[in-house]
Amino acid sequence: MSALALVIFTIFIFIVAYATYGAWLSKKWGIDPSKPTPAHTMGDGVDYVPAKAPVLLGHHFASIAGAGPIVGPIAAAIFGWIPVMLWIIIGSIFFGGVHDFGSVFASVRHGGKSVGQIIEANIGKSGKKLFSIFAWLTLLLVIAAFTNIVANTFVSVPEAATSSVLFIILAIVFGFFVYRKGVPLGIGTVFGVILLFASIYFGMHNPLILSRNTWIAIILVYIFIASVTPVWILLQPRDYLNSYLLYAMMAGAVLGLILYRPEIQLPAYTSFNLGNGQFLFPMLFITIACGAISGFHSLVGSGTTAKQVDNEADTKLIGYGSMLIEGALAAIALVTAAYIGKDKLATLLSNGGPVNVFSDGVGTFMTKFGIDFVAGKSFVALAISAFALTSLDTATRLGRFIFQEFFEDETKEKQSILVTNRFVSTIITVILGGGLAVVGWSKVWPLFGSANQLLAALALLALAAWLKNRGSSNSMTIIPMIFMFAVTLTALVLLIKANIANSNYLLVGFAIALFILALILIGQSYKVLTSPTPKEKNKA
């Protein structure tokens, strides 16, 4: 089987899906380009700031991508490449695409508020409180996991640390000149991208070497600052420029594949039960989150992204389009694992994990058009670390939003300091997430995977309830929702058993709390979803 044919087929299917299923969703949901968005009606210069579609696509894509669409497919390749590829294609089109597109659009129609706010409007206030707790706990796991990943990357690849620091400075300069001095976006992009790659070159020759604990402390201080500053000065420009790194990496991988033309070496299918609790169901669908469907995307879409949407028509490109691009990246990641034999795959995994497999594969493909293998592999590792840092500070800002929403009471004239002061809500989120990081990446990641996918099921539930109350068809959300609940609740039971056996009682408590919260939310939503008529007409 040709790896190139597999990737081209996947990209072709995604293009067709965008033009057909994406357009059908837009029509069914009633996307209205003439309707003012919250970025214009609620603009505050900090969080609600309109952004052009290419800029917002860059922010959204950079925030949701992280290392997830690379790590998941490579880790799940132990089940064989066919089930992995099928889940990437079907998941991206019918699960993740619907979930992401719907989350951005629904949030825009609810004033740019989170999924929790959508639940309050369509299911009830207690439902919002429960979802906010669930989402905030999940974000603490994200902060813990990605703080570890970024710190470990900076220690093992100090060149990435130098480049990342330069990226931040470059983003601030870019944001200042484009948004405050009126430099045209096109001219700013040309200079920004040139300086972006110059930063990589400088970083590769000037590694910044610090200890892991020092990096963790620096990262926590950084995410606090990045989460309270206006989006136009750092978040928007940095994510926009970073997206060019990922586009360049994907273009290099595809061009290299065309010239290299590798064949698939891994088995098409191995077994349903690999032992040690590794069942294809549910573990395949937990392992591959980004690249098929990920609850974190709904928090990004209804958190930072929806507040910056310039025109409602952009939600299809930003929500559905970003998910399909991520699916294409996941397909490339799978190929980097599938074109090598089992022995080399095991060696690469033991010496740096899935990121090492991906970097080695894309670096090898790039040699076919003259890029030195070491330089190509380093470039790929640098790009992935930049995206992991992007996901980390976006998660912290989202944690602040959800924390503030939890304590918000619209019936009171004067709100609590926990609502009005973004510094207080951010520092609480950073301290608790940073404290959880001490547990270690390997112990936090499996629980994060289950919580993340359960979050996706809850976001689909919120969309289904909203569409029902609007009087619209919600069939496109019901089947993905039921499947994801079945997957995640089964996985949580398996993880609770495994963590009890390993005496990881902190994680056992986390898993039980998430499991119970999900069941209560399902119970509260049941009446809304099964009622023959909408509970109350929601005109949003």
Side-chain angles (χ1 to χ4, degrees):
M1 177 74 186
S2 165
L4 175 62
L6 194 62
V7 171
I8 289 177
F9 171 76
T10 303
I11 292 173
F12 173 75
I13 291 293
F14 285 160
I15 292 172
V16 172
Y18 182 81
T20 56
Y21 195 57
W24 181 78
L25 290 174
S26 296
K27 185 178 178 182
K28 280 286 182 182
W29 291 342
I31 301 294
D32 184 359
S34 67
K35 201 175 182 68
T37 62
H40 293 284
T41 59
M42 301 170 65
D44 61 3
V46 178
D47 299 316
Y48 288 85
V49 180
K52 298 295 182 187
V55 175
L56 192 52
L57 176 68
H59 156 66
H60 186 75
F61 183 41
S63 297
I64 66 172
I70 294 166
V71 172
I74 293 175
I78 55 175
F79 292 106
W81 66 266
I82 284 184
V84 173
M85 186 55 75
L86 286 176
W87 177 230
I88 289 172
I89 294 174
I90 296 171
S92 296
I93 295 172
F94 298 107
F95 288 66
V98 174
H99 169 272
D100 290 15
F101 186 9
S103 297
V104 176
F105 175 56
S107 178
V108 167
R109 286 295 181 94
H110 287 80
K113 295 291 186 179
S114 71
V115 175
Q117 201 78 16
I118 298 169
I119 288 178
E120 180 180 13
N122 295 280
I123 296 173
K125 194 168 185 177
S126 60
K128 174 206 168 184
K129 294 287 186 187
L130 290 169
F131 179 84
S132 296
I133 295 171
F134 185 97
W136 192 67
L137 290 175
T138 304
L139 287 169
L140 293 185
L141 291 170
V142 174
I143 293 170
F146 278 83
T147 296
N148 273 284
I149 289 174
V150 175
N152 290 341
T153 303
F154 285 175
V155 170
S156 60
V157 189
E159 296 86 355
T162 309
S163 299
S164 293
V165 172
L166 293 175
F167 290 172
I168 293 168
I169 297 171
L170 173 60
I172 294 171
V173 173
F174 180 91
F176 176 75
F177 278 100
V178 171
Y179 291 107
R180 288 297 179 268
K181 293 298 180 183
V183 173
L185 180 62
I187 295 174
T189 301
V190 171
F191 282 99
V193 171
I194 291 173
L195 291 174
L196 187 72
F197 285 93
S199 300
I200 295 173
Y201 181 82
F202 183 84
M204 291 175 70
H205 293 84
N206 298 275
L208 184 55
I209 301 172
L210 296 172
S211 70
R212 178 176 176 277
N213 288 338
T214 303
W215 275 123
I216 286 178
I218 292 173
I219 290 166
L220 293 177
V221 171
Y222 164 73
I223 60 175
F224 171 79
I225 296 171
S227 302
V228 297
T229 51
V231 292
W232 63 265
I233 191 65
L234 178 59
L235 186 141
Q236 275 185 4
R238 186 212 49 204
D239 293 358
Y240 173 62
L241 292 175
N242 273 353
S243 66
Y244 283 91
L245 273 184
L246 193 51
Y247 299 148
M249 184 178 73
M250 292 178 68
V254 172
L255 179 59
L257 270 171
I258 292 172
L259 299 173
Y260 195 94
R261 293 179 178 274
E263 294 290 320
I264 298 292
Q265 302 294 329
L266 278 188
Y269 173 73
T270 55
S271 173
F272 184 85
N273 182 6
L274 300 176
N276 298 320
Q278 291 292 307
F279 298 99
L280 189 146
F281 182 91
M283 300 316 294
L284 172 73
F285 308 97
I286 295 299
T287 307
I288 306 174
C290 297
I293 180 171
S294 165
F296 179 62
H297 295 191
S298 71
L299 299 185
V300 176
S302 66
T304 53
T305 301
K307 295 177 176 62
Q308 303 172 64
V309 171
D310 185 44
N311 187 299
E312 202 168 283
D314 298 341
T315 55
K316 178 189 169 191
L317 172 68
I318 294 162
Y320 200 70
S322 289
M323 183 63 241
L324 297 182
I325 296 172
E326 191 179 83
L329 176 60
I332 294 171
L334 173 62
V335 163
T336 62
Y339 91 101
I340 53 179
K342 288 174 61 177
D343 292 341
K344 185 176 179 181
L345 176 59
T347 302
L348 290 173
L349 283 172
S350 63
N351 289 303
V355 173
N356 189 37
V357 175
F358 183 78
S359 303
D360 190 273
V362 176
T364 301
F365 300 155
M366 287 181 174
T367 60
K368 286 296 179 181
F369 56 91
I371 302 294
D372 176 73
F373 172 73
V374 175
K377 184 173 180 178
S378 298
F379 164 71
V380 175
L382 285 169
I384 296 170
S385 67
F387 282 95
L389 189 60
T390 297
S391 296
L392 177 59
D393 57 37
T394 299
T396 309
R397 185 178 286 262
L398 295 172
R400 190 248 293 179
F401 289 157
I402 292 171
F403 188 90
Q404 289 177 310
E405 281 187 9
F406 180 82
F407 291 100
E408 192 175 56
D409 187 346
E410 294 180 351
T411 62
K412 292 184 178 178
E413 186 175 337
K414 187 176 181 181
Q415 298 290 335
S416 159
I417 190 174
L418 297 174
V419 177
T420 59
N421 192 313
R422 64 180 184 273
F423 300 101
V424 173
S425 51
T426 302
I427 200 164
I428 291 172
T429 302
V430 170
I431 289 175
L432 293 180
L436 196 59
V438 177
V439 174
W441 174 83
S442 61
K443 293 179 181 176
V444 169
W445 190 260
L447 181 55
F448 160 68
S450 298
N452 184 39
Q453 297 301 69
L454 189 50
L455 196 60
L458 293 173
L460 287 167
L461 185 151
L463 291 175
W466 172 53
L467 292 171
K468 176 73 180 291
N469 287 336
R470 286 179 82 203
S472 305
S473 169
N474 61 2
S475 57
M476 69 287 287
T477 61
I478 295 294
I479 294 175
M481 177 192 74
I482 293 172
F483 182 79
M484 294 311 297
F485 272 128
V487 164
T488 50
L489 293 176
T490 305
L492 273 178
V493 170
L494 294 175
L495 283 171
I496 290 170
K497 288 177 61 179
N499 280 305
I500 289 175
N502 294 321
S503 303
N504 294 324
Y505 296 113
L506 176 62
L507 297 183
V508 170
F510 245 88
I512 291 175
L514 294 174
F515 189 90
I516 293 173
L517 285 170
L519 288 184
I520 296 173
L521 265 172
I522 292 171
Q524 291 196 349
S525 311
Y526 183 76
K527 287 184 180 178
V528 175
L529 295 177
T530 57
S531 170
T533 55
K535 180 183 72 173
E536 183 178 343
K537 191 73 173 178
N538 186 335
K539 297 180 181 177

